[in-house]
Amino acid sequence: MANIRLKLTALSPIHIGSGEVYEPTNFIMDEGVLYSFRDEDFYSALPDIKKEAFMRILEENKSDSFVRIHSFVKENKNTVKEIAIGMVAVTEGIQKEYSDKVGKISQIEAKNKKVFNKFEIQRIQRKQVKTQADIYAQTGYIVGSALKGSISTAYQELVYKKEGKNAVEKKFQAKGREISNNIFKEFKVSDSIVKRVNTKIGFALNKERFDYDFHNPNANIKLSTYIEVIEPKSEFMVYINYGELDIKEILQSCTNHYMPIFRSLFLSQVNGKKEYINKYLSPNFYESYRHFELKPNQYLLRVGKHSGARSVTIEGLRKIKSKVSGGGKRRKPNVFEYLDQETTSWLFGEKSNSNNGLLPFGWVIAEISDERDNSEFEAIDSLYAVQLKRVKERAKDKLAREERLQKEVKLQEEKEAKERAKLASMTPVQRLVNGYNSVADLINDMKAGKIENFDEIKIELAREIKKILQQTPKTWDKAKKKALDRKLYIEGVLNS
């Protein structure tokens, strides 16, 4: 099969979802960074008194247990930082909402049911790669199937415009016995190799395209969710096996399909309707791309979640379902209409109430590349790399502690073995002397008559004590006061 290599550069935030979420039971946020961790690591790192407190929360199983768990994790942020396995930058707005909402009850419903903010953050797809630090890490990337779907939509539109709807169904939707007619069956797109990447957590904000309240900006704030994205300027490499298909035609169909949608971001009117999305856009993005032209050998694509209905449908066959009325407190029946374009757009923002400085999702430049990549390493998020370095240092410290402990245990065992050998070689009287921490205490017990079989062993015992006292001038040769009393006592025993 014929192969081609594409270099991909993100123009705007990309979210290719993993189906998983970050939950406050497994992360904390501090000073603009999310630190994620494993349950078992967190519990193991807690001191015993906090382990007991944590287990009590888990075992009580009350309606506010999750709030209390979130609060407990939040209170132990320094512990989390020590054992974190990942770090992701978060926007100022996300950090503030975390600080204000997580670990707190938002409202109390009937029967004293406590309601709290789950604060779930949609996670991007990550894969495990080997880093230059010789550590395996999870990094954001562009999934091959997502890219293939994006290319397929554009190429189907080209076939539809050339050959009609039946050709699209036959060439792209054939299944079963007719699967051999599916021209994209052998079109293979690899998962991307990561050349440069950074990730961030912020808000996905839903904005009306054809309606804007100039008098009350807050009325333009609709739905918002927490979301992790691959940031603009991230770079990837993919390989495509295209068989006998015309790859240049396929890639050009991508530009033909996506460029009108991209350019509509900067227009004030689309199909006779006033378009307001440009009012929300980041000034830098607006100025950089409003007159955007591709270079030779470049093509435009859009991938991932929140690409918009036009991006994932074929022009001329679009029937985009849009709600006209219904629902509400009275639960009126929903009324829908079918349009040729979406009426709202999702944009990435720093705060949940942002009405400017926003970015569209999923825009990518694809460029045919002759660059060869023989490196066995891939790039990871710079913050993630910082945490990996910490993990490696902690692992090194842990190994050093374990080796030190093993050495201490070995020395203690050797010491105890020597002590046992020493005791085994001693006479009963020597073992008696060895059992006392202080010669003074032993002499006091001798005077008090507390030594068993004293009369039988007193001479040998006095000789052993004399050897010890003679080791220091202050307790024998130059003995004074109490030391002299003990010396005279021992001499008296020896002379008796």
Side-chain angles (χ1 to χ4, degrees):
M1 296 180 71
N3 297 308
I4 195 171
R5 186 184 296 106
L6 288 183
K7 177 184 176 182
L8 307 177
T9 304
L11 300 183
S12 68
I14 299 169
H15 177 87
I16 298 175
S18 64
E20 298 177 345
V21 294
Y22 292 106
E23 297 178 287
T25 49
N26 291 99
F27 75 79
I28 61 104
M29 287 185 190
D30 190 48
E31 297 181 341
V33 178
L34 177 146
Y35 299 83
S36 60
F37 62 91
R38 289 186 290 253
D39 294 339
E40 59 270 28
D41 294 342
F42 177 68
Y43 183 76
S44 297
L46 292 173
D48 289 342
I49 191 168
K50 289 192 174 183
K51 284 180 180 175
E52 293 173 8
F54 189 53
M55 289 306 297
R56 281 198 298 272
I57 296 173
L58 298 178
E59 290 166 359
E60 286 173 356
N61 195 26
K62 295 182 178 179
S63 64
D64 65 344
S65 288
F66 271 107
V67 177
R68 295 166 65 202
I69 292 170
H70 295 170
S71 179
F72 184 89
V73 170
K74 201 173 176 182
E75 289 167 2
N76 289 277
K77 66 181 183 181
N78 290 332
T79 299
V80 170
K81 287 181 179 181
E82 285 299 312
I83 53 91
I85 58 172
M87 293 170 67
V88 185
V90 303
T91 66
E92 180 184 341
I94 286 279
Q95 177 67 65
K96 186 175 188 309
E97 290 210 8
Y98 173 82
S99 300
D100 293 345
K101 296 180 179 180
V102 170
K104 299 174 184 178
I105 296 168
S106 56
Q107 66 183 72
I108 299 177
E109 296 182 343
K111 297 183 180 180
N112 202 36
K113 182 180 179 181
K114 298 176 176 65
V115 179
F116 63 97
N117 189 321
K118 292 183 178 179
F119 215 89
E120 294 179 342
I121 302 168
Q122 300 170 66
R123 300 179 70 155
I124 60 169
Q125 190 93 325
R126 291 180 179 268
K127 67 173 179 176
Q128 183 169 278
V129 299
K130 186 178 182 181
T131 70
Q132 289 182 321
D134 201 28
I135 295 177
Y136 286 91
Q138 299 291 321
T139 189
Y141 71 110
I142 293 179
V143 183
S145 57
L147 189 62
K148 179 178 177 177
S150 173
I151 295 170
S152 177
T153 299
Y155 194 43
Q156 286 181 58
E157 183 172 284
L158 174 66
V159 171
Y160 167 72
K161 290 180 176 179
K162 278 186 172 183
E163 304 174 41
K165 183 178 179 182
N166 290 338
V168 172
E169 293 175 352
K170 181 179 179 181
K171 293 184 176 183
F172 294 92
Q173 299 168 18
K175 298 178 181 178
R177 294 180 180 178
E178 304 296 325
I179 189 68
S180 60
N181 293 326
N182 190 323
I183 63 173
F184 248 45
K185 181 172 67 75
E186 299 301 329
F187 188 86
K188 308 293 185 183
V189 182
S190 71
D191 288 338
S192 68
I193 296 168
V194 185
K195 307 299 291 180
R196 179 172 68 176
V197 67
N198 277 306
T199 56
K200 195 173 192 177
I201 293 170
F203 296 89
L205 306 170
N206 191 247
K207 300 294 185 182
E208 292 284 347
R209 291 181 61 204
F210 306 118
D211 186 28
Y212 189 90
D213 194 326
F214 290 90
H215 302 291
N216 181 17
N218 288 333
N220 298 313
I221 299 168
K222 306 293 182 184
L223 300 174
S224 70
T225 60
Y226 308 124
I227 195 166
E228 180 183 27
V229 297
I230 291 170
E231 290 200 85
K233 298 183 180 180
S234 295
E235 295 179 358
F236 309 89
M237 190 78 73
V238 297
Y239 293 87
I240 296 177
N241 290 337
Y242 55 89
E244 297 178 1
L245 296 173
D246 185 340
I247 189 62
K248 292 288 184 73
E249 180 182 57
I250 291 172
L251 292 174
Q252 187 57 48
S253 75
C254 293
T255 298
N256 294 343
H257 173 71
Y258 291 109
M259 186 59 83
I261 301 170
F262 183 79
R263 285 181 174 153
S264 72
L265 292 170
F266 309 95
L267 299 178
S268 57
Q269 196 171 76
V270 176
N271 295 339
K273 293 183 178 180
K274 284 191 174 181
E275 168 77 77
Y276 294 103
I277 288 300
N278 60 80
K279 293 188 175 296
Y280 298 109
L281 295 179
S282 151
N284 184 53
F285 184 86
Y286 183 85
E287 291 301 326
S288 296
Y289 297 112
R290 66 188 180 119
H291 298 305
F292 178 64
E293 294 291 340
L294 292 167
K295 296 177 182 178
N297 222 27
Q298 287 185 338
Y299 306 90
L300 188 64
L301 290 162
R302 198 175 195 187
V303 296
K305 190 171 184 177
H306 299 319
S307 292
R310 284 177 297 165
S311 294
V312 299
T313 54
I314 297 171
E315 185 180 28
L317 296 178
R318 291 182 182 128
K319 290 184 179 180
I320 300 169
K321 193 175 182 180
S322 176
K323 185 177 176 180
V324 177
S325 63
K329 292 183 179 180
R330 297 183 180 181
R331 297 186 178 179
K332 295 180 180 180
N334 291 328
V335 178
F336 297 95
E337 63 179 341
Y338 291 87
L339 307 172
D340 62 355
Q341 56 188 310
E342 68 269 23
T343 59
T344 64
S345 286
W346 287 92
L347 303 171
F348 181 80
E350 298 278 318
K351 300 178 181 179
S352 61
N353 61 352
S354 295
N355 274 322
N356 51 56
L358 309 184
L359 295 170
F361 281 92
W363 291 105
V364 174
I365 289 179
E367 183 175 358
I368 297 175
S369 173
D370 293 326
E371 176 187 344
R372 293 196 173 275
D373 180 39
N374 298 318
S375 173
E376 61 177 312
F377 306 112
E378 295 189 49
I380 60 173
D381 187 296
S382 56
L383 268 180
Y384 207 100
V386 169
Q387 188 61 14
L388 276 176
K389 184 179 178 182
R390 292 179 181 175
V391 169
K392 189 172 183 178
E393 288 172 351
R394 287 201 302 269
K396 186 177 179 181
D397 291 343
K398 182 181 179 182
L399 181 61
R401 286 195 303 272
E402 289 175 349
E403 289 176 347
R404 188 165 58 249
L405 181 60
Q406 288 175 358
K407 188 175 181 180
E408 289 173 356
V409 168
K410 185 178 179 180
L411 289 173
Q412 182 63 27
E413 288 175 348
E414 290 174 351
K415 181 180 178 182
E416 291 174 356
K418 287 180 180 179
E419 187 66 23
R420 287 194 299 270
K422 180 181 176 183
L423 288 172
S425 66
M426 288 180 178
T427 65
V429 169
Q430 287 174 331
R431 283 196 288 273
L432 173 65
V433 175
N434 190 73
Y436 275 84
N437 292 325
S438 163
V439 169
D441 291 341
L442 175 55
I443 292 173
N444 288 338
D445 284 354
M446 290 168 67
K447 290 178 179 179
K450 295 181 179 180
I451 304 299
E452 190 176 350
N453 300 323
F454 180 67
D455 288 337
E456 298 175 11
I457 65 170
K458 65 181 182 180
I459 299 301
E460 183 183 354
L461 182 57
R463 286 173 182 162
E464 293 295 331
I465 293 173
K466 182 178 178 179
K467 290 178 186 176
I468 297 172
L469 294 177
Q470 285 180 326
Q471 292 175 3
T472 307
K474 288 184 178 181
T475 57
W476 193 261
D477 293 337
K478 298 180 180 181
K480 295 179 181 180
K481 297 182 180 180
K482 290 182 179 181
L484 181 60
D485 290 341
R486 286 191 287 271
K487 173 185 175 181
L488 293 174
Y489 174 75
I490 294 300
E491 286 181 328
V493 172
L494 290 172
N495 294 326
S496 63

